[in-house]
Amino acid sequence: MKTNHFYHLKESQVKNYDFIVYTIKGENVLNHLHEIEKEIETKTQMRAQFLVLFDTLLYSNNTEERFLCAQYKKNKFDMGSFKFVYISKKDKIRKQSLDFFKSNIRYVEKSTLLNSVQKKIILKGLPI
C-alpha cells in the first residue's frame, strides 16, 4: 500500500467498489486526484474501468458527505461521475473503514474534526 501525506489508497474488500481512498488529514482529498489516478494506474493491469469510493471521515467528519464515489476510466477519473453516496452503519464498507482507521489510529488521534466520543468509538472497534 503506497502512502502519501494526504490519503491512503487500498483495494476494496467489498465487491461494490474496486478501491477505497481514505483521507488521513483534514484536507480535501479531491485536491490530489492526479496523484490518485497515477497510483491506480500502477495497480491495474487489464481492466480500464473501476469504481472508487472516497472515505473523507477525517476531512468532512461523519456527515452525509463523508462517502463519495467516482468512475475511473482509461487512467483518469470521470469528473462528471462524482457523487455522494449513503453507506449504512451496518454496511461492510464501514467495517473496512473501521479496520483501516483502527490500524492507523494515529490519524484518528491527530484529527481535529472528530470529537473525543467519536475517537473512543473507533478505538472500541465500532463503526461510525
Side-chain angles (χ1 to χ4, degrees):
M1 169 176 62
K2 183 179 177 182
T3 303
N4 76 24
H5 299 290
F6 302 102
Y7 70 88
H8 276 272
L9 173 71
K10 291 188 75 167
E11 290 187 38
S12 176
Q13 299 168 353
V14 179
K15 64 181 175 181
N16 299 16
Y17 302 97
D18 300 294
F19 294 98
I20 301 178
V21 178
Y22 298 98
T23 58
I24 58 174
K25 287 194 174 181
E27 182 175 322
N28 191 342
V29 72
L30 300 181
N31 294 337
H32 302 277
L33 287 181
H34 185 69
E35 297 167 50
I36 296 168
E37 287 171 342
K38 287 184 178 238
E39 192 172 340
I40 291 173
E41 185 178 352
T42 66
K43 293 180 177 286
T44 59
Q45 299 291 323
M46 302 298 280
R47 289 179 49 205
Q49 184 171 326
F50 300 94
L51 189 59
V52 179
L53 181 72
F54 294 81
D55 183 346
T56 66
L57 176 66
L58 300 182
Y59 173 70
S60 64
N61 207 326
N62 192 31
T63 67
E64 291 179 1
E65 296 181 348
R66 173 181 172 180
F67 294 100
L68 64 148
C69 69
Q71 289 285 330
Y72 175 88
K73 299 177 184 177
K74 300 179 184 172
N75 299 329
K76 64 181 181 176
F77 285 106
D78 174 355
M79 298 310 285
S81 72
F82 279 86
K83 64 181 178 181
F84 290 105
V85 292
Y86 172 76
I87 307 287
S88 76
K89 298 270 189 211
K90 295 181 180 183
D91 195 289
K92 292 178 183 178
I93 288 288
R94 293 230 188 203
K95 172 69 171 121
Q96 185 174 343
S97 289
L98 172 65
D99 292 345
F100 170 80
F101 288 116
K102 276 189 69 178
S103 298
N104 297 279
I105 200 65
R106 66 190 177 278
Y107 303 129
V108 173
E109 291 170 342
K110 290 180 182 180
S111 172
T112 57
L113 277 179
L114 298 178
N115 63 42
S116 61
V117 173
Q118 290 170 314
K119 291 176 182 181
K120 286 178 185 175
I121 288 171
I122 292 170
L123 283 169
K124 287 185 177 189
L126 301 171
I128 63 170

